Amino acid sequence: MPRTYTSLTLEDAKQMLAAAEAKAASLGIPYCVAVVDAGSHLVAFLRQDGALIGSIDLAIDKAATARIFDKTTSDLATLAQSGKPLFGIQESNAGKVVIFGGGVPVVLDGTIVGAGASAGTVEQDIAVAEAAIAALGHQARSSDDLNRKTTP
């Protein structure tokens, strides 16, 4: 029998994009925002008028990175520094791994999916991604929180 898993619906993703769009507007920065499913595949994407073209792939790749590694991209940035355990990880997955803030794993009924935002500073990108997650009524969790939850 095929396995089933919880993932985001298109309606969930639309809610997330609307919240992210509102947060981006409050910052006065046109944003690119991506939402991926449990398999790290794009569910929905938003590019506000005037958002940087370079931010398109960054937002999508941040969301996918958060999902495939189940860590925030800002946590990966710390772990990927020279001499750290994940040094060089950004070269994996055909070079699509992003190791700076703005990708956040979303826990939905115990399944991890992802959201990513790109256009501002790392702190602004994280705030926009977290606003998207808050629209679902879920708190953005750091990788430490995720590990504590899943570790006996």
Side-chain angles (χ1 to χ4, degrees):
M1 175 177 284
R3 292 183 181 180
T4 61
Y5 60 93
T6 302
S7 192
L8 293 171
T9 65
L10 180 57
E11 286 306 311
D12 292 334
K14 287 178 181 179
Q15 275 185 284
M16 292 174 74
L17 292 181
E21 187 172 20
K23 181 64 177 179
S26 78
L27 296 172
I29 301 169
Y31 256 82
C32 291
V33 181
V35 177
V36 299
D37 64 14
S40 77
H41 301 287
L42 188 64
V43 174
F45 178 80
L46 164 76
R47 179 174 177 247
Q48 292 179 304
D49 293 342
L52 296 170
I53 294 169
S55 290
I56 295 169
D57 287 338
L58 283 175
I60 294 168
D61 292 347
K62 284 181 187 184
T65 298
R67 171 53 196 111
I68 63 175
F69 292 107
D70 297 342
K71 295 192 179 313
T72 64
T73 55
S74 57
D75 286 345
L76 283 174
T78 301
L79 295 169
Q81 298 304 308
S82 180
K84 297 292 182 173
L86 297 181
F87 178 68
I89 197 168
Q90 70 276 8
E91 301 301 324
S92 70
N93 293 279
K96 291 186 168 279
V97 173
V98 178
I99 57 167
F100 51 90
V104 182
V106 182
V107 180
L108 179 66
D109 297 330
T111 299
I112 301 175
V113 294
S118 183
T121 65
V122 167
E123 292 78 17
Q124 290 168 326
D125 290 358
I126 292 168
V128 170
E130 288 178 347
I133 294 163
L136 292 178
H138 300 278
Q139 285 292 327
R141 299 183 194 159
S142 71
S143 60
D144 288 340
D145 291 338
L146 291 169
N147 290 334
R148 270 196 294 278
K149 184 171 180 91
T150 58
T151 303

